[in-house]
Amino acid sequence: MAFVCPDKNCLKCPRLIEFRQGNIAKFPTYYNGPVEPFGSLDAEVLVVGLAPGLNGANQTNRPFTNDYAGDVLYPALKKFGLAQGNYQKRKDDGFELLNVRITNSVRCVPPQNKVTGDEVKACGSYLIEEIASMPRLKVILTLGSVAHNAVLGVLGYRKAAFKFVHNAEHMLDKHGLVMVNSYHTSRYNINTGVLTQAMFDEVIEHIQNLLTTA
């Protein structure tokens, strides 16, 4: 099974198509399509987010880029040797991921940053293809409960058996993978104190330790 990015004019989700059409008219210079993953399929770590931000990845066509969530995510990856370069909120900034790939549960920007269960299911075929196309994959980091449940769903695990807990480690034995949870690096979570940069740094350090001890 080889991973293929969704067509830019993907027609799977009526609500997201309608929102995209409005954004094409409102923001004609934005990418306005299913956002492509960032990083190599040879990576050992896959970070799974929720969905693109309207003025972030939906604009730049790179996950978490020009989005507040990227201001938390990318410095942490660099701090622990999983990225290099200077993150400047542009797809062409030369910032590189090292042994990490970043994707989303839903590839198109949703209204009010909220996705539906049907949209997560519709994008599930891309997520499972992506996971299956990563031969060296060891760790999946899920940012938020939607991503957590999306990964469990496409891999065929009972969601009730794997409770989402920040910095928790779940063994996905059938696939030889470890799943680690983190609260999403959203502005809302940072502003409300649900997540701090230090808390997220601990998650990335946890993952780095998993890679070195595997």
Side-chain angles (χ1 to χ4, degrees), residues 156-208:
Y157 292 94
R158 287 180 60 249
K159 295 172 186 176
F162 300 88
K163 185 178 179 182
F164 176 87
V165 178
H166 180 73
N167 209 11
E169 181 180 315
H170 304 283
M171 303 304 297
L172 305 181
D173 293 327
K174 289 188 297 182
H175 295 84
L177 299 172
V178 179
M179 180 170 66
V180 176
N181 300 150
S182 174
Y183 295 127
H184 197 283
T185 56
S186 67
R187 184 189 298 272
Y188 177 82
N189 282 346
I190 296 294
N191 286 349
T192 57
V194 170
L195 180 70
T196 65
Q197 184 74 61
M199 287 170 63
F200 189 68
D201 285 355
E202 288 176 359
V203 172
I204 302 303
E205 186 174 22
H206 178 179
I207 290 171
Q208 186 192 53

Side-chain angles (χ1 to χ4, degrees), residues 57-104:
N58 178 63
Q59 177 184 1
T60 62
N61 189 28
R62 193 175 75 180
F64 294 86
T65 299
N66 199 41
D67 191 318
Y68 183 88
D71 296 346
V72 179
L73 171 64
Y74 287 130
L77 292 177
K78 183 176 178 180
K79 179 177 179 179
F80 291 98
L82 296 171
Q84 65 183 7
N86 295 314
Y87 169 61
Q88 298 175 44
K89 306 185 181 185
R90 306 188 318 271
K91 190 174 183 178
D92 64 354
D93 58 11
F95 190 74
E96 295 180 67
L97 299 179
L98 303 174
N99 206 25
V100 175
R101 183 176 172 91
I102 301 175
T103 194
N104 277 307

